[in-house]
Amino acid sequence: MKRSHVLFDVVVLVVYLLAANPALTGIPLHEFVGLGAFVAIAAHVVVSADGLGGRGRVGQLILNALLSLAACVVSGVMVSGTVLPSMGLYASGYHFWDPLHAVAAKVLLAALLVHVVVRGPAALAVLRRRRDLCGEGGDCPA
């Protein structure tokens, strides 16, 4: 794992946390940041998992997590009060899409928590290794 990948992952996590809190951002920003979070998480999967297929059982887990992400994004767009109307579109079926969005968001959060618990120690080790090489004075070669 490279340090640049860890820093990218931290940015993806921050974008997700911002998107996952509509009470903090308001619904319009929640919707647009959610679309950005989708792009960032998809890029994270491609960068860190050898593409969307992965290998073996890990690949299956990644694809399952992507399905929950896709369900969350698609259902979020379908209940959108800002994104779709800004494009002159309207989707019917709110009573189907809204509960799906709520469940998919919870599944996505659970998958993210598992991911952070499993991959967090390795990411912290990468960040600590860099700090240990540079010393406390910060005079580290580029």
Side-chain angles (χ1 to χ4, degrees), residues 17-67:
L17 291 174
L18 186 65
N21 196 350
L24 176 68
T25 62
I27 296 298
L29 188 59
H30 164 76
E31 292 178 8
F32 284 106
V33 171
L35 292 175
F38 171 71
V39 171
I41 292 171
H44 165 78
V45 169
V46 171
V47 166
S48 62
D50 296 329
L52 297 177
R55 290 194 176 91
R57 187 176 179 105
V58 173
Q60 279 303 118
L61 291 172
I62 290 167
L63 287 175
N64 290 339
L66 277 178
L67 287 176

Side-chain angles (χ1 to χ4, degrees), residues 11 16 42 46 49 56 64 82 85 87 102-103 106 109 130:
V11 169
Y16 168 79
V46 171
N64 290 339
T82 304
M87 295 181 226
V103 169
K106 288 170 181 63
L109 177 61
R130 174 75 175 172

Side-chain angles (χ1 to χ4, degrees), residues 49-119:
D50 296 329
L52 297 177
R55 290 194 176 91
R57 187 176 179 105
V58 173
Q60 279 303 118
L61 291 172
I62 290 167
L63 287 175
N64 290 339
L66 277 178
L67 287 176
S68 68
L69 173 64
C72 188
V73 170
V74 168
S75 61
V77 168
M78 295 305 282
V79 297
S80 170
T82 304
V83 172
L84 282 184
S86 73
M87 295 181 226
L89 302 171
Y90 174 78
S92 60
Y94 180 84
H95 296 290
F96 171 77
W97 293 112
D98 190 50
L100 177 62
H101 185 62
V103 169
K106 288 170 181 63
V107 170
L108 183 59
L109 177 61
L112 175 72
L113 290 173
V114 169
H115 180 73
V116 168
V117 167
V118 170
R119 300 294 295 162

